[in-house]
């Protein structure tokens, strides 16, 4: 007889595992199946998805190590610390990263046990309906469930004619496992992965060239922030080339050769030891048997959902990277909780207007809400308060004077509409802006809140004061 559950989650990434845990907490008999593409030492389903295995967590571990390496090589001396020339043991750095991944992925197994979520090992594919229940093939067995949550995530988009072997030509998977510092590293795509991984290897000594198709750098970010980011990253040594058209990519004796046309139409060739292709991601919907059961996909292959992640099929939901919206782990987790709570009859909700974005370069970039160019395009009257980190004692003490906080508030109501940060600690600072915006806060609210001194959060405070043209320290 087939195993039967109230809820079956397909995919064990941050969307799927959080949905399973929350559904179980709410009293549903829940299972989560994972098709396990990442090697698990015990051959068990390796949970955590892209985020834990080949995304957020390993990339941040490498960013941290490479940041320390750069500090030791360049910043320590400014503060009177001499340590000689630092050396990097890349295999040790990679092993440390792998250890963190193993700890966290096994941690999810523990959370499943604690919350009584059944973990199923195998690829999930819809079979059809049996009465009111959905029948899903998981590996070799068939499982029945009243409700199904599709959380199958995404994989790297590859470019036609550029074969990824994850040795010389890497997507995110190989890029996180490079075992020696490449002398020359080429990156196609100046998006989030390109900038984060480019920073890692540039800090460790690679000559990094980034080739980007779009004419504008970080076009989705606030233009002021993007301009500052381009200036700082270029100064650090990343060679970022906008408006290029990639041509033939060929293997060479030493690595790879990339032909491209630059922004002025000049044909150019770049030889590199390694190439990272980071040109966005595509949803994992092949093999789900979506068409056979009539699960509607959009033209980009994503599962079509409404604002509450309901699909066109009764009792079938979809969350995370496999649906519209930013491909971010915290967005997937928010949707996961929302769906589980709606299934339990609660008022689950996800506010897509207050999802923060972070890029973990140094300095970090983070933002929430509308950009200045969006407000202009929408004809919204706004006021802006912009304060540089240079005016902050803590930032100077940390040797991190670059960047700014820019707060945008409605000219009529003073409600905060967007906050854009480039500077030390931006990933944590943005949380204050998210809270303020979630509560419909005004710049005056933040201006009248006591911020500890000396902290980086005082830059947020000053930016709020600057919205009313009354900063105290700038
Ligand atoms: P995934 O994490 O992709 O998980 C889906 C899971 O489903 C996978 O484990 C897959 O094996 C499994 N699966 C697929 N099909 C099936 C099937 N048919 N049956 C069973 N299992 C299946 N986001 C951030 O918010 N912050 C970051 O710092 C960040 N850094 C990133 C760095 C990199 C290099 C990359 C690539 C991504 C990064 N992301 C980051 C994005 C983040 O990883 C994703 O948004 C997030 O993992 C999406 O979660 P998900 O659960 O929707 O999908
Ligand atoms: P991305 O969408 O951030 O950037 C891709 C870049 O490649 C874009 O600038 C695009 O214009 C460019 N591009 C596309 N086709 C190209 C071509 N043929 N030639 C040259 N350039 C081309 O995608 P990326 O960096 O692959 O990351 C995927 C996703 O993973 C991100 O969108 C994000 O959702 C997530 N992520 C999040 C992180 C974070 O939150 N810090 C870190 C890393 C990834």
């Amino acid at each position: 007889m087939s195993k039967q559950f109230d809820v079956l989650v397909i995919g064990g990434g941050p969307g799927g595992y959080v949905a399973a845990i929350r559904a179980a907490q709410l009293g549903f008999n829940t299972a989560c199946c994972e098709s396990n593409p990442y090697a698990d030492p015990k051959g068990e389903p390796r949970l955590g998805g892209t985020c834990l295995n080949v995304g957020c967590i390993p990339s941040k571990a490498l960013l941290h190590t490479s940041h320390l390496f750069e500090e030791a090589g360049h910043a320590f001396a400014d503060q009177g610390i001499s340590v000689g020339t630092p050396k990097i043991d890349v295999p040790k750095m990679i092993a440390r990263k792998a250890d963190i991944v193993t700890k966290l992925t096994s941690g999810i197994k523990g959370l499943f046990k604690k919350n009584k979520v059944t973990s199923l090992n195998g690829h999930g594919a819809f079979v059809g309906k049996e009465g009111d229940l959905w029948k899903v093939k998981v590996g070799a067995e068939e499982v029945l469930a009243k409700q199904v949550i599709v959380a199958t995530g995404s994989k790297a988009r590859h470019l036609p004619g550029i074969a990824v072997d994850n040795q010389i030509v890497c997507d995110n998977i190989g890029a996180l496992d490079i075992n020696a510092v490449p002398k020359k590293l080429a990156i196609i795509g100046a998006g989030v992965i390109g900038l984060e991984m480019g920073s890692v290897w540039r800090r460790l000594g690679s000559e990094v060239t980034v080739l980007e198709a779009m004419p504008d750098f970080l076009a989705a970010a606030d233009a002021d922030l993007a301009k500052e980011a381009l200036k700082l990253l270029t100064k650090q040594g990343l060679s970022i080339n906008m408006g290029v058209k990639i041509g033939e990519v060929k293997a060479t004796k030493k690595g790879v050769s990339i032909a491209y046309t630059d922004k002025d139409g000049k044909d150019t060739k770049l030889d590199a030891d390694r190439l990272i292709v980071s040109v966005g991601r595509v949803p994992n919907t092949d093999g789900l048997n979506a068409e056979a059961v009539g699960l509607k996909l959009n033209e980009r292959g994503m599962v079509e959902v409404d604002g509450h992640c309901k699909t066109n099929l009764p009792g079938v939901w979809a969350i995370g990277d496999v649906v519209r919206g930013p491909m971010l782990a915290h967005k997937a987790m928010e949707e996961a909780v929302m769906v589980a709570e709606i299934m339990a009859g609660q008022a689950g909700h996800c506010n897509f207007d207050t999802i923060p974005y972070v890029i973990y370069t140094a300095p970090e970039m983070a933002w929430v809400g509308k950009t200045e160019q969006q407000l202009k395009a929408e004809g919204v009257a706004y006021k802006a308060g912009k304060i540089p980190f240079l005016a902050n004692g803590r930032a100077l003490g940390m040797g991190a004077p670059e960047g700014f906080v820019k707060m945008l508030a409605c000219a009529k109501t003073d409600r905060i509409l967007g906050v854009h940060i480039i500077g030390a600690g931006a990933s944590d600072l943005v949380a204050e802006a998210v809270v303020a915006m979630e509560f419909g806060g005004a710049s005056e609210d933040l201006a009248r809140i006591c911020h500890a001194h000396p902290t980086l959060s005082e830059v947020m405070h000053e930016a709020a004061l600057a919205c009313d043209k009354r900063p105290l320290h700038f």
Side-chain angles (χ1 to χ4, degrees):
M1 224 179 66
S2 304
K3 286 181 190 152
Q4 194 176 318
F5 300 95
D6 296 328
V7 177
L8 171 68
V9 184
I10 306 180
Y17 80 72
V18 168
I21 290 172
R22 188 70 190 118
Q25 284 174 347
L26 289 163
F28 293 108
N29 175 20
T30 305
C32 176
C33 71
E34 170 55 57
S35 58
N36 204 15
Y38 315 109
D40 179 83
K42 293 185 196 153
E44 292 172 4
R46 183 131 189 171
L47 299 165
T50 304
C51 170
L52 263 56
N53 291 284
V54 288
C56 323
I57 299 300
S59 59
K60 268 79 249 180
L62 300 187
L63 277 156
H64 183 72
T65 304
S66 59
H67 182 64
L68 292 182
F69 179 82
E70 178 150 270
E71 291 280 288
H74 299 285
F76 279 16
D78 292 347
Q79 297 182 38
I81 308 170
S82 49
V83 288
T85 307
K87 287 198 190 105
I88 184 72
D89 179 341
V90 176
K92 192 162 179 185
M93 172 181 81
I94 297 290
R96 173 184 175 270
K97 173 222 61 167
D99 260 8
I100 296 169
V101 169
T102 302
K103 272 197 192 93
L104 288 175
T105 53
S106 353
I108 311 276
K109 279 186 204 164
L111 291 173
F112 271 14
K113 274 202 192 98
K114 181 180 158 207
N115 288 283
K116 301 192 174 51
V117 173
T118 304
S119 187
L120 302 173
N121 193 1
H123 180 93
F126 284 98
V127 175
K129 284 210 99 166
E130 197 168 289
D132 281 348
L133 303 175
W134 285 102
K135 189 187 267 187
V136 177
K137 194 158 186 284
V138 177
E141 64 177 332
E142 285 187 340
V143 172
L144 295 170
K146 284 187 202 139
Q147 317 232 30
V148 178
I149 302 175
V150 179
T152 50
S154 65
K155 56 176 173 279
R157 183 165 83 87
H158 291 171
L159 292 172
I162 305 182
V164 170
D165 60 5
N166 275 327
Q167 297 295 326
I168 300 295
V169 180
C170 301
D171 59 18
N172 61 299
I173 297 177
L176 292 161
D177 260 337
I178 293 177
N179 56 9
V181 180
K183 199 163 170 309
K184 287 187 176 189
L185 174 67
I187 299 180
I188 301 182
V192 200
I193 295 180
L195 298 181
E196 290 187 355
M197 296 317 296
S199 292
V200 166
W201 294 106
R202 200 261 323 138
R203 292 169 190 166
L204 297 178
S206 296
E207 190 184 307
V208 179
T209 306
V210 188
L211 303 173
E212 164 61 47
M214 299 294 282
D216 295 324
F217 181 64
L218 288 180
D222 185 88
D224 235 0
L225 183 146
K227 190 171 159 210
E228 183 73 1
L230 183 59
K231 188 183 90 190
L232 294 174
L233 294 174
T234 305
K235 195 169 146 211
Q236 291 169 6
L238 278 187
S239 164
I240 301 173
N241 302 272
M242 305 301 298
V244 312
K245 191 167 184 308
I246 304 293
E248 196 183 4
V249 172
K250 278 195 300 202
T252 61
K253 259 193 207 145
K254 285 179 70 187
V256 59
S257 162
I258 303 127
Y260 67 94
T261 312
D262 73 11
K263 64 174 188 338
D264 303 316
K266 193 170 145 237
D267 288 333
T268 310
K269 205 179 76 179
L270 173 68
D271 288 319
D273 305 294
R274 305 253 191 172
L275 167 66
I276 297 175
V277 181
S278 48
V279 293
R281 299 182 61 81
V282 292
N284 284 327
T285 40
D286 11 314
L288 256 184
N289 209 17
E291 304 74 22
V293 288
L295 179 63
K296 214 163 156 189
L297 308 183
N298 70 15
E299 65 293 342
R300 293 172 60 202
M302 292 174 157
V303 180
E304 210 157 278
V305 287
D306 67 10
H308 286 140
C309 292
K310 269 191 191 136
T311 71
N312 65 314
L313 299 178
V316 180
W317 311 73
I319 59 173
D321 279 11
V322 79
V323 303
R324 47 80 199 112
M327 289 184 167
L328 296 172
H330 42 282
K331 175 262 194 185
M333 294 193 253
E334 280 298 297
E335 289 180 330
V337 170
M338 169 180 75
V339 164
E341 294 186 349
I342 294 175
M343 287 190 321
Q346 298 183 2
H349 181 66
C350 181
N351 184 357
F352 294 98
D353 294 335
T354 53
I355 294 174
Y357 294 75
V358 180
I359 305 180
Y360 296 81
T361 46
E364 292 180 343
M365 306 169 218
W367 64 90
V368 57
K370 302 269 172 147
T371 62
E372 207 165 342
Q373 63 266 27
Q374 277 173 325
L375 294 177
K376 279 189 184 137
E378 290 167 16
V380 177
Y382 65 92
K383 48 190 178 169
K386 185 173 163 189
I387 297 292
F389 279 77
L390 194 60
N392 178 272
R394 187 69 187 281
L396 293 193
M398 290 167 61
E402 297 100 356
F404 58 78
V405 172
K406 183 166 86 174
M407 193 171 290
L408 303 169
C410 176
K412 281 193 208 126
T413 63
D414 192 31
R415 193 180 175 132
I416 300 169
L417 302 174
V419 176
H420 305 273
I421 310 168
I422 174 164
S427 56
D428 290 317
L429 292 178
V430 77
E432 179 178 5
V434 174
V435 172
M437 288 176 66
E438 192 65 50
F439 282 88
S443 77
E444 188 183 353
D445 291 326
L446 290 190
R448 292 194 183 280
I449 287 172
C450 181
H451 289 69
H453 175 77
T455 59
L456 298 172
S457 75
E458 289 173 292
V459 190
M460 286 284 284
H461 189 213
E462 290 285 329
L465 285 162
C467 283
D468 194 34
K469 299 197 171 32
R470 55 184 182 97
L472 293 165
H473 297 88
F474 184 67

